[in-house]
Amino acid sequence: MERSIFELWGHGKSPEELYSSLKNYPVEKMVPFLHSDSTYKIKIHTFNKTLTQEEKVKRIDALEFLPFEGKVNLKKPQHIFSILEDYGLDPNCIPENPHNIYFGRWIADGQRELIESYSVKKRHFIGNTSMDAGLSFIMANHGKVKENDIVFDPFVGTGKASRKNQKWRGPDENIRANLRQYGLEKYYLDVLVSDASKPSWRKGTYFDAIITDPPYGIRESTRRTGSQKAVPKGIEKCPESHVPVSLSYHLSDMFFDLLNFAAETLVLGGRLVYWLPVYTPEYTEEMVPWHPCLKLISNCEQKLSSHTSRRLITMEKVKTFENRDQYSHLLSDQFLPYQGHNSFREKYFSGVTKRIAKEEKSSQE
């Protein structure tokens, strides 16, 4: 979600470059906002780094060459100007100096207050992996969700109403209750419990967007229903208390199933938005799953640790699904790189083990 919109006056990779850029900005464009009858204030925004008050004041004072003639008003200024410093995206490796510095006039703020309104901390019903509100809004934006769209989440998480040995949940412990809490219950359609590897949908295009966060196999291994033994004939319906036998469900298979499902059920122009976990040292662009009916729109990274991250993948349906498309990935040169996702769980915990051992060794020295 956009934090704010600014009219850019200057940009540089160092303070000197920024000042040079500002001096070349047309004065006639500055004057309407700097005249003697106006009031203003200058704010500092840093990304991935925190500055002291002294450092902020120093940066503001360095802009004295700009032709400000109005009065400073910190409470209700007519015009707000901002210095924005970008220190990259890696919280584990923050540079001493910013990668880029911007200066501009503030135009408007986005709707980021919604993140607080929909905060997971205030939600009645959450699970171990409930998605952060801010990321949820970003996913919806990537999906280009608009009014009256039908959106599906095949891994809805806290919507799972029945598990082995799980007690019945109260009336406020479900997805519908969460939507009711936010005044959005009218948008709720339904929830079902099924195996994502065996979609129970009739053939057809139903969804304008599929937005989801598949399990990574970290808190518990990924499983699907099935058995390596022959299933006796005549067993068509199981009692409600029956717990089905399950098999391992490799991450690569899960993503192939997800892409196939999206290709079959999305309307043309509909979007699939999902998170792809990766082991950073081995990640390449070729590891992003591919499908002939889906076009890759964007691939954004969110760091999880020094050795893992997840990629927000956005794809758009550009071709009508045909039966031959279902296994087309097997013929792709990228098929082997895809399978690298299958060991993500082992590599994740291997990195954690190494980090703990390193910390213990450092504490002993």
Side-chain angles (χ1 to χ4, degrees), residues 266-278:
L266 281 173
V267 299
L268 274 176
R271 288 195 168 191
L272 166 66
V273 182
Y274 71 96
W275 288 99
L276 176 71
V278 298

PDB file of all heavy atoms in Angstrom, residues 266-278:
ATOM      1  N   LEU A 266      -9.472 -19.696 -13.066  1.00  0.00           N
ATOM      2  CA  LEU A 266      -9.477 -18.231 -13.186  1.00  0.00           C
ATOM      3  C   LEU A 266     -10.134 -17.803 -14.496  1.00  0.00           C
ATOM      4  O   LEU A 266     -10.011 -18.483 -15.517  1.00  0.00           O
ATOM      5  CB  LEU A 266      -8.047 -17.680 -13.162  1.00  0.00           C
ATOM      6  CG  LEU A 266      -7.333 -17.538 -11.820  1.00  0.00           C
ATOM      7  CD1 LEU A 266      -5.873 -17.134 -12.045  1.00  0.00           C
ATOM      8  CD2 LEU A 266      -8.025 -16.510 -10.929  1.00  0.00           C
ATOM      9  N   VAL A 267     -10.784 -16.664 -14.458  1.00  0.00           N
ATOM     10  CA  VAL A 267     -11.276 -16.066 -15.704  1.00  0.00           C
ATOM     11  C   VAL A 267     -10.073 -15.505 -16.449  1.00  0.00           C
ATOM     12  O   VAL A 267      -9.017 -15.253 -15.853  1.00  0.00           O
ATOM     13  CB  VAL A 267     -12.302 -14.944 -15.423  1.00  0.00           C
ATOM     14  CG1 VAL A 267     -13.511 -15.489 -14.686  1.00  0.00           C
ATOM     15  CG2 VAL A 267     -11.649 -13.803 -14.614  1.00  0.00           C
ATOM     16  N   LEU A 268     -10.193 -15.330 -17.751  1.00  0.00           N
ATOM     17  CA  LEU A 268      -9.105 -14.711 -18.514  1.00  0.00           C
ATOM     18  C   LEU A 268      -8.843 -13.307 -17.965  1.00  0.00           C
ATOM     19  O   LEU A 268      -9.777 -12.532 -17.758  1.00  0.00           O
ATOM     20  CB  LEU A 268      -9.469 -14.627 -19.995  1.00  0.00           C
ATOM     21  CG  LEU A 268      -9.149 -15.863 -20.844  1.00  0.00           C
ATOM     22  CD1 LEU A 268      -9.665 -15.677 -22.265  1.00  0.00           C
ATOM     23  CD2 LEU A 268      -7.652 -16.127 -20.861  1.00  0.00           C
ATOM     24  N   GLY A 269      -7.589 -13.016 -17.692  1.00  0.00           N
ATOM     25  CA  GLY A 269      -7.237 -11.737 -17.085  1.00  0.00           C
ATOM     26  C   GLY A 269      -7.236 -11.782 -15.574  1.00  0.00           C
ATOM     27  O   GLY A 269      -6.796 -10.833 -14.922  1.00  0.00           O
ATOM     28  N   GLY A 270      -7.731 -12.900 -14.995  1.00  0.00           N
ATOM     29  CA  GLY A 270      -7.711 -13.057 -13.542  1.00  0.00           C
ATOM     30  C   GLY A 270      -6.288 -13.285 -13.042  1.00  0.00           C
ATOM     31  O   GLY A 270      -5.407 -13.691 -13.808  1.00  0.00           O
ATOM     32  N   ARG A 271      -6.082 -13.066 -11.767  1.00  0.00           N
ATOM     33  CA  ARG A 271      -4.716 -13.134 -11.234  1.00  0.00           C
ATOM     34  C   ARG A 271      -4.551 -14.158 -10.112  1.00  0.00           C
ATOM     35  O   ARG A 271      -5.462 -14.344  -9.301  1.00  0.00           O
ATOM     36  CB  ARG A 271      -4.276 -11.757 -10.731  1.00  0.00           C
ATOM     37  CG  ARG A 271      -4.014 -10.774 -11.871  1.00  0.00           C
ATOM     38  CD  ARG A 271      -3.248  -9.558 -11.421  1.00  0.00           C
ATOM     39  NE  ARG A 271      -2.764  -8.781 -12.545  1.00  0.00           N
ATOM     40  CZ  ARG A 271      -1.899  -7.784 -12.455  1.00  0.00           C
ATOM     41  NH1 ARG A 271      -1.432  -7.418 -11.263  1.00  0.00           N
ATOM     42  NH2 ARG A 271      -1.483  -7.141 -13.518  1.00  0.00           N
ATOM     43  N   LEU A 272      -3.383 -14.780 -10.113  1.00  0.00           N
ATOM     44  CA  LEU A 272      -2.953 -15.665  -9.038  1.00  0.00           C
ATOM     45  C   LEU A 272      -1.859 -14.943  -8.274  1.00  0.00           C
ATOM     46  O   LEU A 272      -0.868 -14.487  -8.856  1.00  0.00           O
ATOM     47  CB  LEU A 272      -2.411 -16.975  -9.607  1.00  0.00           C
ATOM     48  CG  LEU A 272      -1.622 -17.864  -8.630  1.00  0.00           C
ATOM     49  CD1 LEU A 272      -2.521 -18.386  -7.519  1.00  0.00           C
ATOM     50  CD2 LEU A 272      -0.941 -19.018  -9.367  1.00  0.00           C
ATOM     51  N   VAL A 273      -2.033 -14.821  -6.944  1.00  0.00           N
ATOM     52  CA  VAL A 273      -1.040 -14.163  -6.092  1.00  0.00           C
ATOM     53  C   VAL A 273      -0.718 -15.124  -4.953  1.00  0.00           C
ATOM     54  O   VAL A 273      -1.617 -15.547  -4.222  1.00  0.00           O
ATOM     55  CB  VAL A 273      -1.576 -12.828  -5.517  1.00  0.00           C
ATOM     56  CG1 VAL A 273      -0.508 -12.143  -4.678  1.00  0.00           C
ATOM     57  CG2 VAL A 273      -2.049 -11.910  -6.634  1.00  0.00           C
ATOM     58  N   TYR A 274       0.552 -15.484  -4.818  1.00  0.00           N
ATOM     59  CA  TYR A 274       0.926 -16.431  -3.766  1.00  0.00           C
ATOM     60  C   TYR A 274       2.370 -16.199  -3.310  1.00  0.00           C
ATOM     61  O   TYR A 274       3.158 -15.549  -3.997  1.00  0.00           O
ATOM     62  CB  TYR A 274       0.753 -17.875  -4.257  1.00  0.00           C
ATOM     63  CG  TYR A 274       1.772 -18.304  -5.300  1.00  0.00           C
ATOM     64  CD1 TYR A 274       2.925 -18.996  -4.944  1.00  0.00           C
ATOM     65  CD2 TYR A 274       1.572 -18.035  -6.658  1.00  0.00           C
ATOM     66  CE1 TYR A 274       3.851 -19.397  -5.902  1.00  0.00           C
ATOM     67  CE2 TYR A 274       2.490 -18.425  -7.613  1.00  0.00           C
ATOM     68  CZ  TYR A 274       3.628 -19.117  -7.232  1.00  0.00           C
ATOM     69  OH  TYR A 274       4.548 -19.503  -8.177  1.00  0.00           O
ATOM     70  N   TRP A 275       2.680 -16.750  -2.137  1.00  0.00           N
ATOM     71  CA  TRP A 275       4.031 -16.632  -1.577  1.00  0.00           C
ATOM     72  C   TRP A 275       4.834 -17.897  -1.881  1.00  0.00           C
ATOM     73  O   TRP A 275       4.339 -19.012  -1.698  1.00  0.00           O
ATOM     74  CB  TRP A 275       3.985 -16.421  -0.066  1.00  0.00           C
ATOM     75  CG  TRP A 275       3.501 -15.073   0.340  1.00  0.00           C
ATOM     76  CD1 TRP A 275       2.244 -14.736   0.749  1.00  0.00           C
ATOM     77  CD2 TRP A 275       4.265 -13.850   0.397  1.00  0.00           C
ATOM     78  NE1 TRP A 275       2.170 -13.387   1.044  1.00  0.00           N
ATOM     79  CE2 TRP A 275       3.394 -12.826   0.844  1.00  0.00           C
ATOM     80  CE3 TRP A 275       5.584 -13.533   0.120  1.00  0.00           C
ATOM     81  CZ2 TRP A 275       3.817 -11.510   1.017  1.00  0.00           C
ATOM     82  CZ3 TRP A 275       6.005 -12.212   0.291  1.00  0.00           C
ATOM     83  CH2 TRP A 275       5.128 -11.224   0.728  1.00  0.00           C
ATOM     84  N   LEU A 276       6.063 -17.717  -2.334  1.00  0.00           N
ATOM     85  CA  LEU A 276       6.966 -18.821  -2.666  1.00  0.00           C
ATOM     86  C   LEU A 276       8.172 -18.770  -1.724  1.00  0.00           C
ATOM     87  O   LEU A 276       8.980 -17.836  -1.806  1.00  0.00           O
ATOM     88  CB  LEU A 276       7.429 -18.698  -4.116  1.00  0.00           C
ATOM     89  CG  LEU A 276       8.452 -19.724  -4.604  1.00  0.00           C
ATOM     90  CD1 LEU A 276       7.784 -21.100  -4.749  1.00  0.00           C
ATOM     91  CD2 LEU A 276       9.055 -19.293  -5.942  1.00  0.00           C
ATOM     92  N   PRO A 277       8.343 -19.733  -0.788  1.00  0.00           N
ATOM     93  CA  PRO A 277       9.495 -19.708   0.114  1.00  0.00           C
ATOM     94  C   PRO A 277      10.762 -20.177  -0.603  1.00  0.00           C
ATOM     95  O   PRO A 277      10.714 -21.124  -1.405  1.00  0.00           O
ATOM     96  CB  PRO A 277       9.086 -20.705   1.215  1.00  0.00           C
ATOM     97  CG  PRO A 277       8.196 -21.679   0.517  1.00  0.00           C
ATOM     98  CD  PRO A 277       7.457 -20.885  -0.537  1.00  0.00           C
ATOM     99  N   VAL A 278      11.878 -19.509  -0.348  1.00  0.00           N
ATOM    100  CA  VAL A 278      13.126 -19.891  -1.018  1.00  0.00           C
ATOM    101  C   VAL A 278      14.296 -19.879  -0.040  1.00  0.00           C
ATOM    102  O   VAL A 278      14.306 -19.140   0.947  1.00  0.00           O
ATOM    103  CB  VAL A 278      13.445 -18.952  -2.207  1.00  0.00           C
ATOM    104  CG1 VAL A 278      12.367 -19.028  -3.268  1.00  0.00           C
ATOM    105  CG2 VAL A 278      13.637 -17.513  -1.751  1.00  0.00           C
TER     106      VAL A 278
END
